[in-house]
Amino acid sequence: MKEEAQVQAERNKGARIDYTAIAESPAFRNLLAKKKKFILPLSLFFLAFYFTLPVLTAYTKVLNNPAIGAISWAWVFAFAQFIMTWVLCSLYSKKAASFDVMVEDIRTEAKQ
């Protein structure tokens, strides 16, 4: 029963958080700027890399040349897209840990 009271007290505390003040705080703006600085270039790279394959296969024959035996460059490029996706996912997962630390700092600051 005591645990339920503590949970309810935490919920009531959270109801009094001023989200406008958090959104206007320098720490939150710094978090958004860092996320944007990281996510935007990675997203642009992903989109450029992803759409290069269909564009090159549709309008040129450059990827039709054999790369390894009977395997053409189109297959190599397509396989590279899977690798690129896993690499970008790993990079973001590692970077997200630092974002999480910043979020916890903002939450702690907001509770005070």
Side-chain angles (χ1 to χ4, degrees):
M1 192 69 160
K2 186 176 181 182
E3 291 175 25
E4 290 178 29
Q6 287 176 335
V7 170
Q8 189 61 34
E10 287 296 318
R11 285 185 186 151
N12 290 342
K13 250 189 194 177
R16 288 183 250 140
I17 294 175
D18 184 6
Y19 292 104
T20 305
I22 292 172
E24 293 172 355
S25 72
F28 186 76
R29 291 184 186 270
N30 185 34
L31 170 66
L32 292 181
K34 285 190 178 196
K35 284 182 76 171
K36 184 178 179 181
K37 185 178 176 182
F38 180 75
I39 292 172
L40 188 63
L42 256 55
S43 298
L44 292 174
F45 170 76
F46 172 81
L47 288 170
F49 195 85
Y50 180 80
F51 284 112
T52 299
L53 178 64
V55 168
L56 287 178
T57 55
Y59 299 109
T60 70
K61 297 201 183 285
V62 90
L63 296 179
N64 292 345
N65 299 324
I68 304 167
I71 299 172
S72 71
W73 283 106
W75 285 103
V76 172
F77 197 98
F79 183 69
Q81 288 186 342
F82 286 97
I83 294 170
M84 182 256 324
T85 302
W86 282 99
V87 168
L88 292 181
C89 181
S90 297
L91 285 172
Y92 182 78
S93 295
K94 289 178 183 174
K95 188 68 173 177
S98 69
F99 295 149
D100 290 343
V101 170
M102 294 174 74
V103 167
E104 284 304 315
D105 292 343
I106 292 168
R107 290 179 69 197
T108 303
E109 186 180 304
K111 287 181 181 179
Q112 293 177 353

